[in-house]
Amino acid sequence: MVRPLLITGGRVIDPHNRLDGVRDVLLSEGRVAEISEKPLPKDGCSVLQAHDRWVLPGLIDLHVHLREPGDEGKETILSGSRAAVAGGFTAVVAMPNTRIVNDSRLVTQFILSRARQANLCQIFPAGAISKGLKGEEMAEIGELAAAGCVCVTDDGRPVMNAGLLRRVLRYAQAFDLPVMLHEEDLSLAGKGSMTEGPRATRLGLLPIPASAEVAMVARDLTIAEETGGRVHLAHLSCEGSVRLVREAKRRGVKVTAEATPHHFTLTDAAVEGYQTHAKMNPPLRQPADVKAIRDGLADGTIDAIATDHAPHGPLEKEVEFDRSENGVVGLETALPLTLELVQQGILTKERAVELLTIGPARALGLPGGHLAIGAPANVTVVNPDAKHTVDATQFFSKSRNTPFHGRAVNGQVTHTIVGGRLVFEEGQVQEGAE
Amino acid sequence: MNSPRSTNAQRTSHLLGIEGLERSFVEAIFSLAKEHKRAVANGKSRAPLTGRVVANLFFEDSTRTRTSFEIAAKMMGAEVLNWTATGSSVSKGETLLDTARNVDAIGPAAMVVRHGSSGAAQLISRYVRCSVINAGDGAHEHPSQALLDAFTLLERLGSLDGKRVVIAGDILHSRVARSNIHCLRLLGAEVLVSGPPTLIPVGIEALGCRVAREFPAAVELADAVMMLRVQVERQTELAFPSAQEYAAHWGLTAALASRMKPGAVVLHPGPINRGVELSSEVADGARSTILDQVSNGVAIRMAILETFAW
């Protein structure tokens, strides 16, 4: 039995409950037991001093690639869980495009059993839309839902067949399962490896036009509107996509969207020198796109910040740019990069917290994301003023593929609490035997 | 022992592209090339690279550039190590960096690299001790080609300041076009590009050139026209409907060439698709510099190797 945990003297920021003030928070039996303006008695409790710290609902990441089963050299459910809690995440959604695809109850059960063994953060599996991610036949979506998948997605690949997507958007309604979409028209993206524009032209890299994403967003919003299906658009990167989502939301289309820290922080300038750590899909875009993503985060068009944590080793990254794999690790840098937007005045701190907590929880209907009494005892404690330098060699993730190595940032996760238990404390992961 | 190899460890200079070079540097290469060309013609070439190894690392087929570098190296007394993608460890799945580091460990003074990926030479240069000379990386740069093209133009036109050069064809996939735009701009020329809109990359103007919508009109006003090879083998990308239609709109026919300014010249990096981008009459005519380009290529590469392979 875990002793009750009292977090005392911290500034609680809980946008969902419109709370921003110094409070004592008592966690007991896996739930938030009490929140008080007056100091709570410490008797029988473990005590966490949180003066000058922010006490936040546990962060939730809707988009991570944990690589297990199949690519355990890059990441495992355990190593990914360590990276998650070190980054302040108490829950993550695991993408199904592992080498052994999560398109069946069996694989979902395997992931959940590994997650229980790791016993660090909550892991919500996402199931595949199509069998083997082939984009041909529908996966057994009802089985996946019953086994515990919180959404379906072919992430990493688009659903090129519009007829299949339309059927899925209708069928998934039987299970109230959102459909997460990787928006990319492969016939427009072609063999491109960076975003279209003067820089791709100068570097001699084949371009990926914005239309590869935006045209698919337009197509899928049309189908979502017609079917009444729930879509969640992954890693938006283009100005045009943000505009379409904004308009669709106004019309009442059931759409939510996420953006990644790399897409709201970097432009295609990061590719200069053929830096494969800046190669991702969708690619880093132009300054106008970055601005549109930031505006979308601020005005509510985009619901969640998600990392698209995509671990790769040197074999995939110390290679020719056009042959490099896509993706960056993100779990251990998301919070400070989000806080940069607060420091720059683009987001209020409430909105920033919302985008990492209740925003993602609502998008996929996950528990948590706030700190009302009775809510899950998932809490992230942050030192908002801690200046430090991103050091990829110190990551808990098995992989180091980040374009942010060496970046000076503000804000550090000091404690992560999952189910009332401290799983990360002052730089150390507390391994989860219970 | 104070061998060239022991000084290699401190060397960091590479020829990765024309972008970023100084005009004075390019002109110094030209005067070295001129010297070599004269010496070779008089049968008195120097051998400044005696005892050194130049490694040719060709991950993509190229007879012209590889033999040109090879002859240039040998004429200056260097040993040449030829490493091609077929018949080597590359076909056994070795990574680019492993291959490059292994060749580097043999101890060449310079490595001449041809690769199908943009940025490949730059990637290698971060991991080896020897000089890296880019002999063409993807659609990025092909600096020795641009230098020999400009050298040839200077011979024919005297100067490039204020001269107008049209580069025509598949600009999107062309490293020759990119290096030439940088080099010609550096030497004061005005550069226009022309071709099917599907093969003109977005933002090419940022390199300092203009896009000529009307190819024939651009040809009539040009001091030089550089015709790029049409990649007929890339028809899968369907950038234009047929070789015939390409030839009708962007081919340099004898009739069009006859409307060029007096003294204006026609370049082609080879190999030519006769009857597609260039008619035989033009390729073999008085305006053509094609064979000059090939022989100047050796002199330019001697100058490059003398500058970098030590």
Side-chain angles (χ1 to χ4, degrees):
Chain A
M1 220 21 240
V2 183
R3 288 213 309 176
L5 178 65
L6 178 66
I7 307 169
T8 178
R11 175 175 175 181
V12 177
I13 305 173
D14 176 7
H16 180 62
N17 295 304
R18 295 172 190 280
L19 174 58
D20 180 358
V22 175
R23 297 285 188 280
D24 274 13
V25 178
L26 181 67
L27 306 176
S28 178
E29 294 177 12
R31 298 276 153 189
V32 177
E34 219 175 327
I35 297 210
S36 166
E37 277 187 75
K38 289 177 190 156
L40 291 170
K42 298 179 172 60
D43 317 337
C45 297
S46 305
V47 176
L48 198 169
Q49 291 287 351
H51 298 282
D52 303 322
R53 301 280 162 89
W54 290 357
V55 177
L56 312 177
L59 312 186
I60 299 171
D61 188 346
L62 296 181
H63 199 133
V64 303
H65 298 272
L66 295 177
R67 303 296 187 216
E68 187 179 358
D71 261 322
E72 289 82 358
K74 294 181 179 182
E75 198 79 287
T76 62
I77 288 170
L78 177 59
S79 67
S81 298
R82 288 177 182 142
V85 298
F89 290 97
T90 58
V92 301
V93 176
M95 293 297 109
N97 66 337
T98 32
R99 192 172 296 260
I100 298 163
V101 173
N102 183 15
D103 59 358
S104 68
R105 179 188 276 268
L106 202 65
V107 178
T108 303
Q109 286 170 342
F110 170 82
I111 293 167
L112 289 170
S113 89
R114 274 282 192 269
R116 274 191 301 276
Q117 287 165 18
N119 195 21
L120 288 167
C121 63
Q122 291 180 291
I123 291 174
F124 296 112
I129 287 173
S130 65
K131 287 180 185 160
L133 304 176
K134 291 199 176 89
E136 292 161 6
E137 290 172 70
M138 216 188 284
E140 290 175 322
I141 290 173
E143 284 284 290
L144 290 167
C149 287
V150 295
C151 68
V152 286
T153 179
D154 275 1
D155 182 65
R157 295 182 194 174
V159 182
M160 281 299 291
N161 182 333
L164 170 65
L165 180 68
R166 190 174 188 279
R167 289 193 294 281
V168 168
L169 280 176
R170 301 185 73 202
Y171 186 75
Q173 291 178 46
F175 312 99
D176 198 25
L177 218 52
V179 176
M180 183 190 285
L181 294 169
H182 166 118
E183 300 294 36
E184 179 189 14
D185 184 318
L186 298 176
S187 71
L188 290 168
K191 292 176 186 156
S193 58
M194 77 174 283
T195 198
E196 186 170 72
R199 196 176 305 273
T201 292
R202 186 168 52 75
L203 292 174
L205 292 170
L206 288 179
I208 302 172
S211 59
E213 175 177 302
V214 182
M216 282 294 265
V217 169
R219 186 198 80 170
D220 293 348
L221 289 173
T222 306
I223 301 171
E225 184 164 17
E226 185 178 72
T227 57
R230 257 173 88 188
V231 292
H232 175 77
L233 305 186
H235 45 53
L236 290 189
S237 70
C238 294
E239 184 180 13
S241 309
V242 177
R243 191 169 54 235
L244 287 169
V245 170
R246 188 176 289 130
E247 288 164 6
K249 282 191 164 181
R250 230 173 259 151
R251 289 199 307 278
V253 180
K254 290 181 197 156
V255 56
T256 53
E258 67 185 37
T260 70
H262 44 274
H263 287 115
F264 68 64
T265 304
L266 301 174
T267 66
D268 68 343
V271 174
E272 206 60 53
Y274 303 93
Q275 297 301 329
T276 55
H277 285 173
K279 187 182 179 193
M280 44 278 264
N281 186 10
L284 296 174
R285 302 285 190 184
Q286 309 286 346
D289 297 302
V290 174
K291 181 179 184 303
I293 297 292
R294 292 170 165 202
D295 290 347
L297 289 166
D299 72 12
T301 302
I302 298 170
D303 304 85
I305 288 169
T307 65
D308 196 4
H309 179 82
H312 288 295
L315 218 58
E316 291 79 27
K317 285 292 189 180
E318 282 181 16
V319 296
E320 301 89 313
F321 189 87
D322 56 358
R323 295 180 191 194
S324 161
E325 295 276 357
N326 289 304
V328 298
V329 290
L331 285 166
E332 296 171 73
T333 47
L335 180 84
L337 292 171
T338 303
L339 293 181
E340 282 188 12
L341 298 186
V342 177
Q343 286 138 23
Q344 292 166 26
I346 291 154
L347 301 180
T348 62
K349 58 185 178 320
E350 292 76 15
R351 179 62 188 152
V353 172
E354 198 168 60
L355 283 160
L356 288 164
T357 57
I358 190 66
R362 274 200 206 115
L364 295 189
L366 305 177
H370 66 95
L371 292 175
I373 289 167
N378 299 339
V379 179
T380 302
V381 181
V382 172
N383 179 349
D385 304 315
K387 290 187 200 311
H388 62 112
T389 301
V390 175
D391 182 357
T393 66
Q394 300 302 306
F395 282 173
F396 286 90
S397 169
K398 278 196 177 184
S399 294
R400 275 102 185 76
N401 51 308
T402 174
F404 298 111
H405 177 71
R407 188 182 183 93
V409 292
N410 277 335
Q412 197 154 35
V413 173
T414 60
H415 300 81
T416 306
I417 297 151
V418 175
R421 185 168 64 88
L422 262 169
V423 291
F424 180 76
E425 186 175 11
E426 305 288 1
Q428 298 297 316
V429 172
Q430 308 299 321
E431 295 294 345
E434 206 171 321
Chain B
M1 194 180 75
N2 193 15
S3 71
R5 202 165 305 162
S6 63
T7 58
N8 279 351
Q10 290 93 47
R11 297 203 66 274
T12 52
S13 95
H14 309 286
L15 180 62
L16 302 177
I18 301 292
E19 188 189 0
L21 295 183
E22 302 281 341
R23 181 169 178 158
S24 58
F25 178 86
V26 168
E27 285 168 347
I29 293 279
F30 290 157
S31 46
L32 262 182
K34 204 179 284 178
E35 203 181 292
H36 282 298
K37 189 175 177 177
R38 201 179 304 125
V40 170
N42 299 336
K44 292 177 186 165
S45 56
R46 295 180 286 123
L49 300 186
T50 303
R52 295 183 203 168
V53 174
V54 171
N56 274 335
L57 248 80
F58 278 63
F59 297 89
E60 215 183 48
D61 286 341
S62 154
T63 310
R64 193 166 317 238
T65 304
R66 188 178 56 72
T67 45
S68 184
F69 268 110
E70 183 166 354
I71 296 286
K74 284 181 171 163
M75 296 218 301
M76 291 192 294
E79 295 293 326
V80 177
L81 167 69
N82 277 310
W83 195 293
T84 50
T86 44
S88 73
S89 47
V90 174
S91 50
K92 296 171 190 163
E94 190 176 54
T95 68
L96 173 61
L97 288 179
D98 280 337
T99 303
R101 281 184 286 213
N102 275 280
V103 171
D104 186 42
I106 292 167
M111 201 181 275
V112 179
V113 180
R114 159 68 61 92
H115 196 286
S117 294
S118 298
Q122 191 175 335
L123 175 67
I124 289 174
S125 74
R126 292 201 287 258
Y127 291 85
V128 297
R129 296 163 302 162
C130 70
S131 288
V132 175
I133 296 166
N134 183 6
D137 64 323
H140 177 225
E141 285 231 37
H142 191 352
S144 64
Q145 179 71 43
L147 291 169
L148 74 88
D149 289 341
F151 186 77
T152 305
L153 281 172
L154 288 169
E155 282 184 342
R156 290 284 190 114
L157 304 176
S159 154
L160 277 165
D161 275 308
K163 296 291 194 308
R164 180 178 291 186
V165 183
V166 174
I167 304 176
D170 179 358
I171 310 295
L172 174 65
H173 297 98
S174 177
R175 52 191 170 224
V176 174
R178 284 171 181 76
S179 283
N180 263 295
I181 294 169
H182 292 303
C183 192
L184 294 166
R185 292 287 298 143
L186 192 64
L187 297 169
E190 180 192 357
V191 182
L192 288 90
V193 296
S194 192
T198 42
L199 294 174
I200 304 291
V202 168
I204 188 74
E205 297 86 351
L207 269 59
C209 61
R210 287 192 293 133
V211 177
R213 296 286 164 211
E214 304 238 346
F215 175 61
V219 168
E220 288 174 24
L221 295 172
D223 296 292
V225 179
M226 181 179 298
M227 302 303 296
L228 301 175
R229 178 182 166 77
V230 182
Q231 304 279 350
V232 183
E233 62 271 21
R234 281 211 184 96
Q235 277 291 358
T236 49
E237 291 180 25
L238 305 173
F240 53 90
S242 67
Q244 288 76 10
E245 183 157 317
Y246 183 93
H249 290 86
W250 293 280
L252 187 51
T253 58
L256 180 55
S258 71
R259 305 210 297 270
M260 289 173 72
K261 286 163 56 171
V265 296
V266 175
L267 296 90
H268 194 298
I272 311 172
N273 289 306
R274 287 181 182 257
V276 185
E277 72 268 10
L278 205 55
S279 74
S280 281
E281 297 96 307
V282 181
D284 305 329
R287 294 185 188 279
S288 169
T289 65
I290 292 169
L291 296 177
D292 291 348
Q293 287 171 269
V294 176
S295 27
N296 284 337
V298 176
I300 281 289
R301 285 165 180 133
M302 288 172 82
I304 289 171
L305 288 171
E306 188 176 3
T307 306
F308 289 93
W310 57 275

